[in-house]
Amino acid sequence: MSNHNIHYTITPSHPEAHIFTIRCTVKNPEPTGQQFQLPSWIPGSYMIRDFAKNIIRFKATDNKGNNLDVSKRNKSLWQVQACTTAITIEYDVYAWDLSVRSAHLDTTHGFFNGSSVFVEVVGQADKKCNVTIKKPSGKQYKKWRVATSLETLESELYLFGLYQAENYDELIDHPVEMGEFDLGTFNVNNIQHDIVLTGKHRADIPTLCADLKIICQTQADFFGELPDITRYVFLTMVVGEGYGGLEHRSSTSLLCSRNDLPLKDQPQTNEYRNFLGLCSHEYFHTWNVKRIKPEAFQPYNLNKEVYTEQLWAFEGITSYYDELALVRSKIITPLQYYEMLGKTITRVLRGNGRNKQTVAESSFDTWTRFYQQDESAPNNIVNYYAKGSLIALALDFEIRKATDNTKSLDDVMRVLWQDYGMKKIAIPEKKIEQIASNIVGHSLQSFFNDYLYSVKDIPLQSYFDLVGLNLKSYLSHSVDDMGGNKNKEENNTASFTILDARIVSSTLGAKLSHVYDNGNAQTAGLSAGDIIIAVDNVKVTKATLEKIIQSYCIGSILLVHAFRRDELMAFKVILKTSNDVNTYYLEIDAAATNEAMINKNNWLKT
Ligand SMILES: [Zn+2]
């Protein structure tokens, strides 16, 4: 059946118990004893996850079916006894992680990333391999199909059966969905693009396909061409509450909420715009990070952390263009784009962590900090996606300014694609800074020193002047006010700050999930995890806490009762006004010059 040296078979053997069974036959194993290894992390999600912990059985046999000894060398590495014939290993994987990063199987569908299920044949990672994807046995699975961008050797798409990959790196870069899914198809530059929806939904697939087609086309035109793909697949798992995406070389896995998707003949919602932003983000990664990639990722060492300071470029620039592509595609209006930008600015400027950690440090330490956020995250770390996207915006405008609007960040991206990504040359640290400097014709090092390697705030207004936008700000006290919108300011009647904490509901009262630096709650000694049950001896809940506190005057001293470790504690909270603004939005400058209007049209391609 298989003429390659390595052949995997994956069977959803017990969907009700969330078990995939994998067999791997190696025709020419290492004669002194073949080793097998599973990755500890998945590219695009920078955290050690030790996928091998889900392998619950592992055995090996020779070509006559005799058992071979297997010993474990480390948490993710198996050693099979020396054998000169072909060997077959068999193991089970427990798949019960409903995320885009691992594997999930039940009686309704199956999903896996190769990095969670296929062990690498050590020493033969560069070899071609075949994979047989099997259907679960039983009548109830009769209608199941397979969706993946892995190259199929079957006569049609979406069938169970034989697939193949050029090497191990490719094998684990095509996630696979199986089940009864809905499908939409469109073409970009004559390449088939599919969107696959698993889970209960009422989405209007023609609208989804029409919008995605325009976004994908905008990006293909931006780079001048599609990368070397034969198909592209948006694998989408629809759930009640969820959000996530992971990029791959010719597909992406997405997790979204039912309410994010468009309904037939209904107006476009904010949630849907955010979902399109997510699709746009992952699609942009097909160039930026899957092919234009940092040196540290070529090749990936999936056994341990690999370090780069460049994630601001791979995630931040991607985040900048994911929304810009929506307005350039005319999927959203410029006003809707400014609202999105205002929210990002609000998110960045609200976090005190931006004064303590540089974006380069956040990128380097992502393994233990950004990907392992605790209650102190807003105080202690900076988000390299959000601040990275503002650095990208500032860099874009810096280049436009310096070149009299003849060049932009778009040109940097095209150089990165043509001179590096397309030629499979990885990007050394600091190379992007040099390329940008070359394009403007003078060194931009002080720009990068300020915003990338130190914690200076970006002078955003000086850049927005160029396109006739005013950055406005105000002090908001509403937990739900994420910024971006002038109307919220007008409705914001409260005149003093509340607790300076993020509040979630709890069965007992109002729980503090995050307590911000130097705010009223922190000054009074309240901590994340405390459950506030009463203010001035009156019971409160999450719903009533904000209102009750706002009914007191500035300078009032409140008696706050809260549980910590089940102990009832009393705190004196002094209601201080913060003079700091914390919420931002963009307004069109009515007095903007003609030149600014031209610059704006150039930027948004309107
Ligand atoms: Zn990303």
Side-chain angles (χ1 to χ4, degrees), residues 44 245 247 281-282 285 289 314-315 318-319 385:
E247 65 276 11
H281 181 96
E282 303 307 342
H285 273 318
V289 93
F314 296 100
E315 292 303 347
T318 301
S319 298
Y385 284 76

Side-chain angles (χ1 to χ4, degrees), residues 158-223:
Y158 320 117
L159 297 180
F160 285 91
L162 198 58
Y163 289 78
Q164 72 174 2
E166 280 301 304
N167 50 46
Y168 183 74
D169 181 54
E170 188 194 329
L171 174 69
I172 63 170
D173 203 13
H174 295 282
V176 175
E177 173 70 39
M178 55 177 79
E180 290 178 50
F181 44 74
D182 292 313
L183 196 61
T185 293
F186 56 92
N187 280 350
V188 177
N189 290 4
N190 291 319
I191 296 288
Q192 181 176 341
H193 286 53
D194 291 342
I195 175 148
V196 175
L197 296 174
T198 309
K200 199 168 163 50
H201 72 91
R202 296 193 296 130
D204 182 33
I205 293 178
T207 297
L208 203 48
C209 284
D211 290 343
L212 283 177
K213 180 181 167 76
I214 300 170
I215 295 164
C216 296
Q217 189 67 58
T218 298
Q219 297 192 6
D221 294 346
F222 176 90
F223 284 104

Side-chain angles (χ1 to χ4, degrees), residues 56 132 272 303 314-315 377 384 398 416 489 504 543 554 578:
I56 49 178
T132 301
Y272 179 47
N303 306 318
F314 296 100
E315 292 303 347
Y384 56 79
E398 193 71 31
L416 284 170
E489 177 178 27
V504 295
I554 304 162
S578 165

